[in-house]
Amino acid sequence: MNRKVKFLAGGLVIVAALAYLVYAGVTQSVVYFVTPSELGAAPVAGKAYRLGGMVQPGTLVWDPKNLDLRFTLSDGQATVPVRHRGTPPDLFAESRGAVVEGTWSRDGYFQASTILAKHSEEYKAPHDASQKGFQELLKTLRSGEAKP
């Protein structure tokens, strides 16, 4: 074989190896977004999901001693029990939207590794002393001025 053919064959092997590595990396890191209805239709144990829904009122159980958090997410049609080990985000509460990342357990619950609390996209700073949060805002602003 001449030198040109060997060079092309080596280049093709390298390109094929790189293509395989990219494909394998992408397929292993894909996390599908599902609703409780979609997850309930065909759950696959051990598969990574991103599950979104509303935290049902009365289902939030937080044990700060063991860092155990349990709640139920709903999309209005189906519900999914969720368990998480760790502290919940500050904006996380009942009757609020949440997105959790994790895997479906063979025991019939979603094991969350991450909780993302949804919040309003609209922010209005309190301008009147009678509005909730006005005094806290002033304290924050004044404490910020004191720092060098």
Side-chain angles (χ1 to χ4, degrees):
M1 272 200 258
N2 69 21
R3 193 171 179 171
K4 206 181 242 186
V5 174
K6 288 181 182 178
F7 182 74
L8 284 175
L12 286 174
V13 169
I14 290 172
V15 168
L18 287 173
Y20 172 76
L21 290 174
V22 168
Y23 172 76
V26 168
T27 57
Q28 290 177 1
S29 65
V30 170
V31 178
Y32 295 101
F33 181 86
V34 294
T35 64
S37 298
E38 293 168 339
L39 182 64
V44 177
K47 183 176 180 181
Y49 291 102
R50 186 173 287 151
L51 176 67
M54 298 292 286
V55 179
Q56 280 196 312
T59 64
L60 184 61
V61 178
W62 165 239
D63 181 6
K65 184 177 180 183
N66 296 321
L67 298 178
D68 185 42
L69 179 65
R70 295 173 186 228
F71 57 94
T72 302
L73 281 182
S74 174
D75 62 359
Q77 297 174 354
T79 61
V80 173
V82 180
R83 295 183 187 173
H84 175 70
R85 192 148 189 80
T87 57
D90 291 337
L91 296 174
F92 184 77
E94 292 181 341
S95 300
R96 289 191 133 174
V99 175
V100 293
E101 293 180 1
T103 57
W104 180 253
S105 165
R106 294 186 194 280
D107 297 328
Y109 64 88
F110 189 84
Q111 182 62 49
S113 56
T114 305
I115 299 176
L116 306 169
K118 289 188 174 182
H119 59 83
S120 172
E121 295 177 8
E122 192 173 306
Y123 173 74
K124 293 181 182 175
H127 297 288
D128 185 8
S130 64
Q131 285 182 293
K132 185 179 178 180
F134 183 77
Q135 295 301 323
E136 289 80 12
L137 176 63
L138 287 179
K139 285 179 190 176
T140 304
L141 293 173
R142 287 185 183 129
S143 67
E145 292 172 2
K147 293 181 182 179

